[in-house]
């Protein structure tokens, strides 16, 4: 079994050759295609940017599994699970999960940002810390953050 995490970087779409770097990247893709064809094992590719993978690779996949962004119920479970015992007593988990559409990795990143902020201030995590973490994550995702009372 071979795992290619963030596969969009290695299996990227080939492009027009404008310089030696483009030519090298296209040659690398061709080489990978040949190696993948002759590979007798099980290859798993993971990506958040499936559209960036060259279609020549996707034609060779036996299966493509797409994971939808979790709904509010699953997001609430993720918030509770990741926060564990460090959850503020007044945390409106269901409201956060309903209002802020985030995947599991982003929820984890929000909680980590909140935990670092609280630790640097020498206090427990607050709802304000979590909202700051959500705002930071929305910014990283290039999404507009609107603070909603929760």
């Amino acid at each position: 079994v071979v795992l290619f995490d963030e596969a969009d970087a290695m299996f990227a779409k080939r492009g027009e050759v404008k310089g030696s770097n483009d030519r090298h990247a296209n040659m690398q893709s061709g080489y990978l295609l040949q190696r993948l064809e002759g590979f007798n094992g099980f290859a798993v590719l993971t990506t958040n940017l499936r559209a960036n993978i060259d279609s020549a690779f996707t034609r060779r996949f036996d299966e493509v599994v797409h994971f939808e962004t979790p709904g509010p119920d699953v997001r609430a479970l993720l918030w509770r699970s990741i926060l564990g015992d460090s959850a503020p007593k007044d945390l409106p988990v269901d409201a956060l999960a309903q209002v802020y559409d985030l995947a599991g990795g982003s929820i984890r990143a929000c909680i980590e940002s909140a935990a670092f902020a609280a630790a640097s201030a020498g206090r427990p995590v607050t709802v304000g810390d979590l909202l700051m973490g959500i705002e930071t994550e929305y910014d990283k995702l290039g999404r507009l953050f609107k603070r909603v009372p929760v």
Side-chain angles (χ1 to χ4, degrees):
V1 176
V2 177
L3 171 68
F4 295 95
D5 192 20
E6 304 296 343
D8 51 279
M10 187 173 260
F11 296 87
K13 289 181 179 178
R14 291 170 286 182
E16 181 182 344
V17 177
K18 295 180 182 176
S20 61
N21 287 339
D22 298 330
R23 183 173 179 273
H24 179 71
N26 286 347
M27 286 175 49
Q28 179 185 7
S29 291
Y31 178 75
L32 279 170
L33 281 166
Q34 289 175 343
R35 299 299 293 176
L36 197 58
E37 283 282 332
F39 182 61
N40 290 324
F42 189 72
V44 178
L45 286 71
T46 65
T47 183
N48 291 329
L49 302 169
R50 182 174 166 222
N52 290 0
I53 294 182
D54 193 307
S55 61
F57 290 108
T58 56
R59 283 194 302 271
R60 289 163 171 82
F61 299 158
D62 291 328
E63 298 291 333
V64 174
V65 180
H66 177 75
F67 294 94
E68 296 291 332
T69 302
D73 293 341
V74 174
R75 289 195 299 265
L77 287 171
L78 288 167
W79 278 103
R80 285 186 182 94
S81 173
I82 297 168
L83 277 165
D85 295 335
S86 66
K89 300 298 180 222
D90 61 342
L91 180 64
V93 172
D94 293 321
L96 287 176
Q98 187 69 41
V99 172
Y100 299 109
D101 181 18
L102 294 164
S106 293
I107 291 171
R108 181 191 43 76
C110 293
I111 293 169
E112 286 176 355
S113 292
F116 285 129
S120 70
R123 58 174 169 66
V125 173
T126 66
V127 174
D129 293 327
L130 291 168
L131 288 170
M132 177 273 313
I134 293 169
E135 184 173 6
T136 300
E137 192 62 19
Y138 264 59
D139 188 48
K140 288 192 300 187
L141 295 169
R143 293 167 58 187
L144 182 62
F145 174 78
K146 182 178 178 187
R147 190 173 288 247
V148 177
V150 288

